[in-house]
Amino acid sequence: MSRKIIKSKYDLYEEKIETIAEVPSEKEKPLAPNSKLKYVGKDVNRYDGYDKVSGSAIYTIDKVLPNMVFARVMVSPHPHAKIKSIDVSKALKLKGVLHIITNENTSEIPWYYNTSKLFDKHLRYQGDEVACVAAETEKIAEEALSLIKVEYEIMPHVVTAESAMKENAPKIHNNGNFGRPSEYTRGNFDEGIKQADVTIEDTFTTQVEVHNPTEVHCSVVNWDGGKLTVWDSTQSIFSVRDNVAQSLGLNASDVRVVKKYMGGGFGSKLEAGKYTVMAALLAKKIGRPVKAAMNRREMNLSVGNRPDSNQTITIGTKKDGTFTAMSHIAYGVMGAYPSGSSSYWPLRSIYKCPNIKIDNKSIYINAGRARPFRAPGHVQGTFALESIIDDLALKLGMDPIELRLKNYTEVDQDGDVPYTSKLLKEAYEKGAEEIGWKNRNKIPGSQTGEIKTGIGMASQIWWGGGAPPSYATLKLNSDGSAKIFSGTQDIGTGTYTFMQQIAADVLEIPIDKVNVDLGDTGTMPYSGGSGGSMTAPSVSPAVYDAAIQMKQKLISNAAAILEVDESNLIYSSGNISSKNDSSKSIEIKDVVGKIHERVLVTTGARNENPNGYAINSFGAQFAKVEVDTMTGIVRVKKIVAAHDIGRVLNRKTLENQFYGGVIMGLGYALMENRVIDDYTGKVLTTNLHDYKMPTMQDMPDIKVIIVSEEDNLISPTGVKGIGEPAMIPTPGAIANAVFNAIGVRIKSLPITPDKILEALNSKS
Amino acid sequence: MKIKFTLNKKKVTAEVESTERLIDLLRNKFQLMGTKEGCSIGECGACTILMDGKAVNSCLVLAEQIEGAEIITIEGIADGEQLHPIQENFIKAGAIQCGFCTPGMVVSSYELLNENPEPNEEEIKEAIAGNLCRCTGYKQIIDAVKISAEQLRDSK
């Protein structure tokens, strides 16, 4: 199959990403519809199921190498300070301590886009790294940390956006506390507002949410001469490879990053950690493998969070509900180092509106740096947007869904191009029917009695169409079994399994004859990081392409073996036979067995995205809640998730993602909250007792409805990603359901009992 | 001090320190890596094991407390490579994502079904509420326990 080289372009927020990629030159015939396939789309069991239920799955935290030692990082106890001096002499004397690195004995390695260093004397948050100890055991390393004497110059701190924006606020960076702003204009907002019959404006706030994956961030490193192997708990092996190589001045090919199993990431594990580079420096010095792992406390301080937001939204409409203008003026905290906190994208993209004004500011504070977190910006932005749209519907006397349909768009509002597919109307319809939309309170809060029920909904838009470059190699073994290798990674979402399903369906061989190895930069072809709901839509066409090529190779080989022209051969159920002469037939394994070198290999590539189309996923979630007006407690009874996500690859892993996204959204809506004490600048929620996450008892009834079949304009597998869409609309839907129940709008997440009671009091 | 106990049905001895946690004994000395450490303070349940039939967080138990006890870890739930029905049903029900919490979930489910072979949904939720999962959303875990309860009752 012929190939071409392209510059692959796609947008991620304001970032225009461009990469050179090899792609199939021609559009491939798409994978058959799920109804005609044996494995794809079915609820096939997970490929990695046995390893995970038996306890045999080895995660990075479990990795043990001969002669391995342990590293622990000492972090700043202060939100803002300068290191005046460090004395490690006492710690070095502790039996079992092997080496300690600090700013005094380590070369300057730039970090956070050159705004800081691996060891910076200027400590900008509680959790900023001060020193790293290697010792024979983790316990000794931990004890050594307490023996390091550091003299700090305590500096004034600032831990809220409001105080950090003040003119006389303590400066976190030399150029102040403001990061790169996000500004955008479409049409003319002021003109649009003049045309409006009705305007609405309100301010919504959301909290900081911490990823808290179950496996802590950790790495195991080992040097073989000048070559470094890193086992890492990561969502992006190639990013870690490049980050580590750059930090240590190595060639990327001299760094090998391996990840087989990892315990969750949600966006917090997309780059190399300081701990990884520190472990490599220590391992080099000591000449032994090093394991560096964070603890749960550090997880809550240092390795990422969803930034908070303060969003003021204005919408102008005609009497019939047609939007004439929208604006989104917001700010949020990105922590102590460059990141982003904007939340405007849903407002900019989901509804038809000619006049848009956006101004989002990202603010530095003395706290851990924000990181991408399952639909960055979209979760908080959708909560605010979908809340105010419900308020507007009430003001206009319209049904909330009717108002959304009034402003429905069939073309992308930025590029004025059609979507490859958009089945949001169908999602509204099916979701509304399943939740019993017509039974919601026509007058919000009108129920009598202590327990009030309510129904609400919210819509979502996300990208998740995937892009090249992404490659997968397929090898056929002499016993007729196949093996797939790809430098993508399965972060629990089911990558191993769908790759197995696609190859088995294309080659028409039993699924247990297909094995998959992922997550090794040293031996596998490139694929991108597992984030942004990009993995399945990027990797599935690559494995499909590899299998299609393999099928062709098998036919060509069979033609030579059987001495039959290729055009007269039929490929069916792992058997190749002559159309005309049934005695001329050969099984795949016999083809492979007869080939001299006894190996057949193909490498498949993700196709180029179509020109002139926007690729987005769409969906709507509906919530039914019960609010106890005496205690203020909200119980979510049911969530319906109705989505357009292209083809379903595996019903079981799809439901995994949706249930997980819903419960994570529920946690964000009702309980999760990083709390920093303003006076001391210290985080009060550093463990899983104080930082509340949903447990099994919070789980509502969840129904997942997929309204799409396959979107063959995107790729031959027709897949859109589902990780982020599953979470985006949940908090907005819950907030709207709470409003429908009690008739008072809660404008601030999380919706905790105190806020409900206060709102009810102010109403009466 | 030296302690004797039963580990996954085998009698074993170990030299332990007075401050050593059971999770460290299992993971470091016996290399039983299926028992995971998620939070170190008994909040997440990833390190759940059975101690004399009771599900406990092994990060909250000192090694010397298990003198004479019968300990079963996730590695002791299956019969060799033959998975226990609960484990098989976790796979069938799709109750797994990243899998890090799964061993603890399986052990808690095992204890529940030993103590209460016919749990209703509320009892399942209560019994396993101490095991946090950040990926799956729990629904399929409940399904797995329900199917297992039926299957184990039928096989008796």
Side-chain angles (χ1 to χ4, degrees):
Chain A
M1 190 161 293
S2 62
R3 290 281 183 269
K4 63 179 178 184
I5 309 295
I6 60 158
K7 192 180 263 180
S8 168
K9 297 177 187 178
Y10 65 95
D11 296 351
L12 193 65
Y13 299 94
E14 291 103 0
E15 219 177 329
K16 305 256 178 233
I17 294 169
E18 292 189 352
T19 20
I20 298 300
E22 183 176 308
V23 298
S25 323
E26 317 264 314
K27 197 166 185 254
E28 281 171 299
K29 190 179 154 214
L31 178 62
N34 283 355
S35 57
K36 299 217 166 109
L37 297 170
K38 194 168 174 190
Y39 301 114
V40 173
K42 313 302 176 296
D43 59 349
V44 171
N45 288 341
R46 257 174 196 278
Y47 178 72
D48 45 352
Y50 178 90
D51 303 14
K52 288 177 175 177
V53 298
S54 66
S56 71
I58 297 298
Y59 296 72
T60 304
I61 196 72
D62 304 324
K63 186 86 193 163
V64 177
L65 293 177
N67 213 22
M68 184 176 85
V69 302
F70 299 84
R72 286 284 297 135
V73 178
M74 179 183 188
V75 301
S76 170
H78 305 295
H80 201 188
K82 274 198 175 131
I83 298 172
K84 285 164 82 177
S85 66
I86 303 185
D87 179 4
V88 298
S89 56
K90 213 170 160 194
L92 278 171
K93 282 184 195 134
L94 183 70
K95 191 168 175 263
V97 171
L98 301 162
H99 191 55
I100 299 174
I101 49 175
T102 67
N103 70 72
E104 291 181 357
N105 61 358
T106 309
S107 59
E108 286 195 359
I109 296 173
W111 213 265
Y112 303 129
Y113 308 103
N114 278 321
T115 59
S116 182
K117 287 167 278 201
L118 185 69
F119 289 111
D120 195 337
K121 278 188 173 181
H122 185 171
L123 304 166
R124 296 178 177 88
Y125 74 98
Q126 176 201 13
D128 227 345
E129 291 81 351
V130 173
C132 188
V133 176
E136 294 287 351
T137 69
E138 202 169 0
K139 214 168 146 190
I140 296 170
E142 189 73 46
E143 198 183 334
L145 297 184
S146 64
L147 298 174
I148 299 174
K149 291 276 165 277
V150 184
E151 208 186 328
Y152 296 102
E153 177 196 333
I154 310 273
M155 299 163 73
H157 62 261
V158 57
V159 292
T160 65
E162 288 77 10
S163 4
M165 287 190 290
K166 284 184 187 152
E167 212 165 298
N168 57 352
K171 274 189 182 177
I172 295 165
H173 292 278
N174 291 339
N175 52 0
N177 296 341
F178 287 86
R180 196 175 64 178
S182 298
E183 288 163 356
Y184 170 79
T185 315
R186 183 193 305 151
N188 184 324
F189 172 78
D190 295 331
E191 284 300 314
I193 281 290
K194 277 185 206 154
Q195 293 159 19
D197 299 320
V198 178
T199 58
I200 189 166
E201 180 174 299
D202 222 326
T203 299
F204 298 85
T205 62
T206 62
Q207 76 281 29
V208 171
E209 181 188 27
V210 182
H211 301 71
N212 269 318
T214 48
E215 183 191 25
V216 293
H217 286 51
C218 55
S219 306
V220 174
V221 303
N222 186 47
W223 290 91
D224 292 303
K227 294 188 194 301
L228 177 68
T229 305
V230 179
W231 290 265
D232 200 34
S233 180
T234 181
Q235 298 172 243
S236 186
I237 52 172
F238 281 96
S239 305
V240 172
R241 180 197 68 174
D242 292 350
N243 297 158
V244 169
Q246 197 185 3
S247 298
L248 297 174
L250 299 170
N251 294 321
S253 56
D254 289 335
V255 180
R256 178 178 179 184
V257 178
V258 183
K259 186 236 70 130
K260 185 165 184 185
Y261 294 124
M262 62 97 83
F266 313 108
S268 68
K269 294 178 178 171
L270 285 163
E271 60 185 13
K274 281 191 174 181
Y275 52 91
T276 313
V277 172
M278 289 176 191
L281 291 170
L282 287 164
K284 185 95 187 163
K285 174 80 183 174
I286 301 162
R288 292 168 68 178
V290 173
K291 178 188 280 186
M294 295 199 142
N295 60 27
R296 183 58 56 187
R297 186 170 181 278
E298 290 153 5
M299 297 288 291
N300 278 279
L301 294 175
S302 301
V303 283
N305 54 71
R306 179 189 302 282
D308 66 12
S309 73
N310 178 300
Q311 309 171 51
T312 299
I313 296 180
T314 310
I315 303 178
T317 73
K318 292 287 189 192
K319 279 194 199 103
D320 68 356
T322 306
F323 296 165
T324 59
M326 298 173 101
S327 79
H328 187 270
I329 312 299
Y331 57 84
V333 296
M334 59 180 165
Y337 295 104
S339 182
S341 73
S342 65
S343 49
Y344 63 83
W345 208 282
L347 179 140
R348 171 173 168 172
S349 60
I350 193 166
Y351 299 112
K352 191 194 301 186
C353 184
N355 302 302
I356 301 265
K357 183 173 79 180
I358 282 160
D359 182 357
N360 282 202
K361 291 182 169 46
S362 291
I363 312 299
Y364 289 117
I365 60 163
N366 293 112
R369 175 174 171 240
R371 298 279 62 228
F373 189 163
R374 205 171 192 167
H378 278 235
V379 184
Q380 53 271 46
T382 299
F383 155 70
L385 175 67
E386 294 292 90
S387 293
I388 199 167
I389 284 185
D390 267 31
D391 287 348
L392 182 59
L394 191 71
K395 208 168 169 177
L396 293 166
M398 285 176 84
D399 178 292
I401 296 178
E402 191 193 340
L403 178 58
R404 286 170 174 87
L405 287 172
K406 187 84 199 165
N407 296 286
Y408 199 83
T409 175
E410 298 286 359
V411 293
D412 170 54
Q413 291 292 288
D414 269 346
D416 204 25
V417 289
Y419 298 107
T420 55
S421 61
K422 179 175 177 179
L423 302 170
L424 183 56
K425 265 182 198 163
E426 290 76 356
Y428 287 152
E429 206 172 287
K430 295 212 166 124
E433 191 187 328
E434 176 65 31
I435 201 79
W437 183 249
K438 59 180 188 302
N439 301 326
R440 76 190 202 290
N441 305 312
K442 295 291 173 297
I443 301 167
S446 55
Q447 282 176 23
T448 53
E450 287 176 9
I451 310 273
K452 294 173 190 278
T453 61
I455 289 174
M457 60 81 63
S459 331
Q460 78 90 16
I461 183 169
W462 183 250
W463 295 283
S470 176
Y471 309 103
T473 294
L474 180 63
K475 171 174 165 264
L476 216 57
N477 300 312
S478 57
D479 60 1
S481 66
K483 180 85 179 238
I484 298 162
F485 304 90
S486 174
T488 181
Q489 45 276 305
D490 189 332
I491 58 174
T493 49
T495 316
Y496 284 111
T497 316
F498 77 68
M499 293 185 93
Q500 194 195 18
Q501 291 172 273
I502 292 169
D505 264 332
V506 174
L507 294 174
E508 301 177 48
I509 58 176
I511 196 161
D512 58 7
K513 294 262 184 213
V514 184
N515 287 298
V516 188
D517 262 359
L518 306 175
D520 186 341
T521 64
T523 57
M524 296 171 187
Y526 176 85
S527 200
S530 293
S533 302
M534 290 284 279
T535 309
S538 300
V539 180
S540 63
V543 71
Y544 173 75
D545 181 36
I548 290 283
Q549 290 180 60
M550 183 61 78
K551 198 169 161 181
Q552 184 52 49
K553 259 192 192 198
L554 285 164
I555 294 171
S556 304
N557 277 283
I561 295 164
L562 298 172
E563 297 183 76
V564 176
D565 193 77
E566 272 185 38
S567 59
N568 284 328
L569 287 175
I570 298 170
Y571 188 110
S572 175
S573 309
N575 209 58
I576 301 162
S577 50
S578 162
K579 273 185 205 165
N580 315 319
D581 179 356
S582 61
S583 71
K584 294 208 163 182
S585 172
I586 187 164
E587 282 183 51
I588 289 178
K589 69 173 168 48
D590 297 327
V591 175
V592 189
K594 279 193 171 23
I595 298 170
H596 181 59
E597 71 271 29
R598 301 176 73 84
V599 62
L600 281 182
V601 179
T602 58
T603 294
R606 166 62 159 83
N607 59 293
E608 182 178 16
N609 278 327
N611 276 327
Y613 288 98
I615 307 176
N616 292 91
S617 66
F618 296 92
Q621 272 161 223
F622 293 76
K624 186 184 278 178
V625 303
E626 257 179 27
V627 184
D628 185 327
T629 55
M630 299 308 285
T631 62
I633 290 172
V634 176
R635 296 289 302 178
V636 180
K637 304 305 284 182
K638 183 170 182 171
I639 297 277
V640 177
H643 289 256
D644 164 10
I645 47 83
R647 183 196 297 265
V648 175
L649 289 172
N650 183 317
R651 188 71 205 185
K652 249 177 223 173
T653 53
L654 170 106
E655 286 181 357
N656 272 155
Q657 286 282 80
F658 270 101
Y659 299 151
V662 164
I663 199 95
M664 198 175 249
L666 184 151
Y668 182 63
L670 299 181
M671 61 191 85
E672 297 188 33
N673 191 6
R674 183 194 71 185
V675 180
I676 302 185
D677 175 52
D678 198 28
Y679 182 68
T680 60
K682 296 197 180 183
V683 180
L684 302 178
T685 47
T686 56
N687 59 46
L688 299 180
H689 177 78
D690 297 325
Y691 185 86
K692 302 285 183 211
M693 300 199 310
T695 75
M696 199 171 271
Q697 290 183 309
D698 300 301
M699 204 211 62
D701 179 20
I702 304 170
K703 172 100 180 168
V704 181
I705 300 168
I706 301 304
V707 298
S708 49
E709 296 287 337
E710 61 270 334
D711 183 342
N712 289 332
L713 279 171
I714 305 176
S715 74
T717 55
V719 174
K720 301 180 196 177
I722 56 174
E724 350 258 324
M727 178 167 181
I728 294 170
T730 312
I734 292 172
N736 282 338
V738 168
F739 176 72
N740 188 248
I742 63 172
V744 199
R745 173 63 62 184
I746 310 291
K747 298 173 196 167
S748 146
L749 294 184
I751 302 173
T752 44
D754 55 313
K755 291 179 189 169
I756 296 270
L757 293 178
E758 207 181 303
L760 287 169
N761 279 338
S762 67
K763 184 189 176 191
S764 58
Chain B
M1 69 181 283
K2 195 170 188 177
I3 58 165
K4 283 185 193 170
F5 63 105
T6 309
L7 178 57
N8 295 334
K9 303 197 179 82
K10 277 186 199 145
K11 290 197 182 319
V12 295
T13 60
E15 192 64 45
V16 301
E17 288 170 39
S18 59
T19 57
E20 190 170 340
R21 303 176 308 166
L22 176 55
I23 186 173
D24 296 325
L25 176 70
L26 295 171
R27 287 177 58 86
N28 299 344
K29 294 218 173 102
F30 291 95
Q31 305 267 298
L32 293 170
M33 296 303 192
T35 301
K36 306 295 183 198
E37 181 158 7
C39 72
S40 320
I41 59 163
E43 289 295 340
C44 78
C47 66
T48 307
I49 54 108
L50 293 175
M51 179 171 168
D52 293 328
K54 291 278 175 207
V56 298
N57 290 315
S58 60
C59 71
L60 295 184
V61 176
L62 287 172
E64 58 178 34
Q65 285 176 272
I66 63 163
E67 169 68 34
E70 191 180 334
I71 301 295
I72 294 180
T73 68
I74 184 66
E75 291 87 351
I77 300 285
D79 181 5
E81 286 200 342
Q82 180 57 50
L83 295 176
H84 186 275
I86 294 174
Q87 293 170 306
E88 282 182 345
N89 289 322
F90 263 65
I91 299 175
K92 280 186 200 152
I96 315 155
Q97 274 195 259
C98 81
F100 201 79
C101 72
T102 309
M105 291 280 180
V106 169
V107 172
S108 290
S109 308
Y110 182 93
E111 184 215 25
L112 167 68
L113 297 183
N114 270 349
E115 305 265 309
N116 178 3
E118 292 184 51
N120 61 32
E121 184 153 330
E122 284 315 305
E123 287 167 334
I124 295 172
K125 286 182 176 179
E126 197 183 327
I128 311 179
N131 292 77
L132 294 179
C133 172
R134 196 63 162 155
C135 303
T136 65
Y138 301 113
K139 186 173 190 286
Q140 288 146 311
I141 296 169
I142 298 172
D143 294 344
V145 177
K146 282 185 190 163
I147 313 166
S148 302
E150 269 172 45
Q151 199 178 324
L152 290 167
R153 277 202 308 275
D154 291 348
S155 66
K156 269 179 192 161

